[in-house]
């Protein structure tokens, strides 16, 4: 019975997998052209230490990122410790006291609450602490942008509009490049001087365009997600308008230092190679997500997006009836990981999150979201967010074994689900 369902899922996904192959090829072509255009050579793999003056490899890597993502300039640095840090660097680099930030895609990812100062007791140094005001425009009931609410919220103080491309830990749709283009166009007709910032985490190379290609001003993300190709051990990126990236550089280092300093610690070869591999690895993860959605749908589980939906990020959410089912599923993913498979994760408190979180991630790089993981806050509607996968085969095997674990524990009835 299980084998039949797997075969049915793969048959149903075959045409979608072929479409993903086309996206991979087109994105790979764009990356290759950037490498050729900037004459990448093995001399660019020689890193710096100390202050990091005159790091030719770092500067060339940033030029490659800028071209591929459609920007004028880039910061690609191991000193950016996470996606949240990259986003924070953008916001603090661009916003000043009395400026206003508006997120038009609803409440942003949990870890940004501390950055913005949304908590009851804001952390020292938050945007709120610097008298930067914040608004958010909640999404409509169907998950769409509330354009009327956006227009009413924009004021003379509004300097930055924030767009979160991926759903994060939320039960709402992720936003496609076409939808982001519509948001950008709408805001720019109201005030062309407003800066449009897109949190691009989980979205890189999923489509054939990035937010900067459709008018956004600046984007940011993490190198242990999509653009690191599964081999980059740390870092983040910021790409966009030259003047805006320069402002962010002075925030990341120090006023007066900007982009001119920052050692690369023998990481450049993997940063170049990871970026070259990224279209392929993202494609493998996407194929795994599509299979996961269809296979679990055949078993009667609620998944989002559906396997036929247009995708703009890696995240596949699965809803469970209760916390025990969700925890069992995530634990099974951990037990079918290449690293720390013998470890059993349990929900626990984590910095930046309001609820206890379970995180299953038997990854080669700690916290790497491009590698297969399953996690989520323990709160209704008990949603596990499955993401990543360096190979489609690994995703397929892990999901199959996780389903078997749920059946063994009585959480799934194979005949009923099928």
């Amino acid at each position: 019975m299980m084998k039949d369902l797997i075969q049915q899922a793969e048959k149903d996904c075959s045409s979608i997998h072929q479409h993903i192959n086309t996206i991979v090829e087109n994105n790979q072509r764009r990356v290759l052209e950037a490498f050729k255009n900037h004459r990448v050579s093995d001399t660019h793999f020689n890193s710096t230490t100390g202050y990091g003056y005159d790091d030719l490899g770092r500067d060339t890597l940033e030029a490659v990122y800028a071209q591929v993502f459609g920007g004028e300039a880039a910061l690609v640095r191991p000193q950016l410790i996470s996606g949240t840090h990259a986003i924070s660097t953008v916001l603090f680099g661009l916003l000043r006291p009395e400026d206003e930030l508006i997120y038009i895609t609803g409440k942003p990812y949990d870890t940004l609450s501390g950055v913005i100062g949304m908590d009851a007791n804001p952390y020292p140094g938050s945007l709120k602490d610097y008298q930067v005001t914040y608004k958010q425009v909640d999404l409509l009931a169907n998950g769409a942008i509330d354009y009327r609410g956006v227009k009413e919220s924009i004021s003379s103080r509004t300097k930055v509009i924030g767009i979160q491309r991926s759903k994060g830990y939320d039960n709402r749709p992720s936003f496609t490049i076409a939808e982001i283009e519509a948001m950008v166009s709408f805001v720019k007709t109201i005030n062309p001087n407003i800066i449009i910032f897109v949190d691009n985490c989980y979205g890189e190379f999923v489509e054939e365009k990035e937010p900067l290609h459709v008018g956004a001003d600046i984007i940011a993300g993490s190198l242990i997600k999509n653009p690191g190709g599964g081999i980059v051990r740390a870092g983040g990126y910021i790409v966009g308008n030259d003047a805006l990236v320069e402002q962010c550089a002075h925030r990341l280092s120090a006023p007066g230092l900007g982009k001119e300093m920052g050692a690369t610690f023998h990481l450049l070869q993997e940063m170049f190679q990871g970026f070259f591999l990224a279209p392929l690895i993202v494609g493998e993860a996407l194929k795994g997500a599509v299979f996961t959605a269809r296979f679990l749908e055949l078993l009667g589980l609620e998944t989002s997006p559906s396997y036929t939906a247009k995708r703009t990020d890696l995240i596949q959410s699965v809803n469970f009836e209760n916390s025990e089912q969700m925890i069992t599923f995530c634990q099974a993913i951990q037990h079918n990981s290449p690293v720390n498979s013998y470890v059993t994760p349990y929900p626990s408190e984590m910095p930046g999150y309001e609820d206890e979180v379970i995180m299953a991630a038997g990854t080669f790089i700690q916290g790497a979201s491009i590698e297969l993981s399953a996690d989520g806050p323990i709160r209704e509607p008990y949603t596990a967010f499955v993401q990543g996968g360096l190979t489609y085969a690994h995703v397929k095997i892990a999901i199959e074994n996780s389903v078997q674990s749920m059946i063994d524990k009585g959480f799934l009835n194979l005949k009923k689900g099928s």
Side-chain angles (χ1 to χ4, degrees), residues 201-387:
C201 287
Y202 304 104
E204 301 91 348
F205 298 118
V206 175
E207 298 191 58
E208 293 181 23
K209 290 183 179 180
E210 300 294 336
L212 296 176
H213 293 131
V214 296
D217 297 300
I218 192 164
I219 62 175
S222 167
L223 300 193
I224 62 171
K225 295 183 174 68
N226 304 21
I231 65 172
V232 179
R233 288 171 286 173
Y237 75 88
I238 298 166
V239 184
N241 171 279
D242 184 58
L244 300 181
V245 171
E246 185 69 20
Q247 286 181 242
C248 297
H250 287 280
R251 170 69 191 192
L252 175 62
S253 56
L257 302 183
K259 295 180 64 178
E260 303 306 315
M261 300 172 69
T264 43
F265 304 117
H266 307 290
L267 292 171
L268 280 172
Q269 181 173 354
E270 68 189 56
M271 293 167 83
F272 275 106
Q273 189 172 9
F275 197 53
F276 184 76
L277 290 171
L280 171 65
I281 300 302
V282 169
E284 292 293 287
L286 277 176
K287 291 176 189 176
V290 171
F291 169 80
T292 298
R294 183 52 178 157
F295 182 44
L296 297 183
E297 285 172 11
L298 290 172
L299 287 162
L301 292 170
E302 180 185 350
T303 65
S304 178
S306 70
Y307 83 102
T308 57
K310 180 177 175 58
R311 292 180 182 256
T312 191
D313 67 4
L314 295 184
I315 297 178
Q316 179 64 52
S317 64
V318 185
N319 288 345
F320 298 94
E321 294 180 2
N322 52 56
S323 60
E324 289 80 10
Q325 290 183 3
M326 176 183 170
I327 292 168
T328 296
F329 178 83
C330 292
Q331 290 175 340
I333 292 292
Q334 181 75 46
H335 295 159
N336 287 279
S337 298
V339 180
N340 293 329
S341 61
Y342 58 89
V343 172
T344 300
Y346 290 94
S348 62
E349 294 182 358
M350 294 195 68
Y353 297 92
E354 296 178 0
D355 303 279
E356 286 191 334
V357 176
I358 185 167
M359 287 195 168
T363 56
F364 292 95
I365 296 165
Q366 188 181 86
S369 301
I370 189 61
E371 300 184 55
L372 180 61
S373 62
D375 47 63
I378 307 300
R379 63 190 180 207
E380 293 185 13
Y382 302 113
T383 302
F385 298 88
V386 184
Q387 56 215 11

Side-chain angles (χ1 to χ4, degrees), residues 28 50 67 77 81 112 124 128 215 249 257 274 335 378 387 389 406:
Q28 191 71 71
Q67 179 176 331
R77 305 294 171 106
I81 62 174
L112 287 179
K128 185 176 182 180
L257 302 183
H335 295 159
I378 307 300
Q387 56 215 11
M406 294 186 69

Side-chain angles (χ1 to χ4, degrees), residues 52-242:
Y53 287 129
D54 302 319
D55 193 321
L56 178 63
R58 179 194 66 207
D59 296 344
T60 301
L61 178 66
E62 291 178 342
V64 169
Y65 262 75
Q67 179 176 331
V68 170
F69 284 156
E72 297 174 349
L75 279 174
V76 187
R77 305 294 171 106
Q79 290 83 7
L80 289 166
I81 62 174
S82 66
T84 298
H85 185 206
I87 294 164
S88 175
T89 301
V90 171
L91 297 179
F92 278 98
L94 303 182
L95 291 159
R96 300 292 181 267
E98 307 304 322
D99 285 342
E100 182 175 73
L101 165 68
I102 303 178
Y103 259 81
I104 64 172
T105 48
K107 186 178 183 294
Y109 196 71
D110 289 23
T111 56
L112 287 179
S113 294
V115 174
I116 295 168
M118 299 169 66
D119 302 319
N121 297 305
Y123 291 102
S126 66
L127 288 172
K128 185 176 182 180
D129 204 15
Y130 280 85
Q131 287 79 55
V132 173
T133 58
Y134 170 74
K135 296 177 186 174
Q136 70 185 42
V137 181
D138 292 331
L139 300 175
L140 299 174
N142 63 356
I145 297 295
D146 180 2
Y147 282 104
R148 179 177 178 182
V150 171
K151 186 173 183 179
E152 291 174 350
S153 295
I154 291 174
S155 70
S156 59
R157 293 176 55 187
T158 305
K159 187 174 184 181
V160 175
I161 292 288
I163 296 171
Q164 183 174 296
R165 178 176 178 178
S166 175
K167 68 172 70 176
Y169 281 162
D170 204 354
N171 277 312
R172 56 93 161 161
S174 298
F175 292 106
T176 65
I177 292 298
E179 290 168 327
I180 291 173
E181 182 175 20
M183 296 178 216
V184 171
S185 177
F186 182 80
V187 170
K188 293 294 187 180
T189 59
I190 297 172
N191 182 350
N193 296 317
I194 290 177
I195 299 167
I196 308 290
F197 163 64
V198 179
D199 168 1
N200 208 31
C201 287
Y202 304 104
E204 301 91 348
F205 298 118
V206 175
E207 298 191 58
E208 293 181 23
K209 290 183 179 180
E210 300 294 336
L212 296 176
H213 293 131
V214 296
D217 297 300
I218 192 164
I219 62 175
S222 167
L223 300 193
I224 62 171
K225 295 183 174 68
N226 304 21
I231 65 172
V232 179
R233 288 171 286 173
Y237 75 88
I238 298 166
V239 184
N241 171 279
D242 184 58

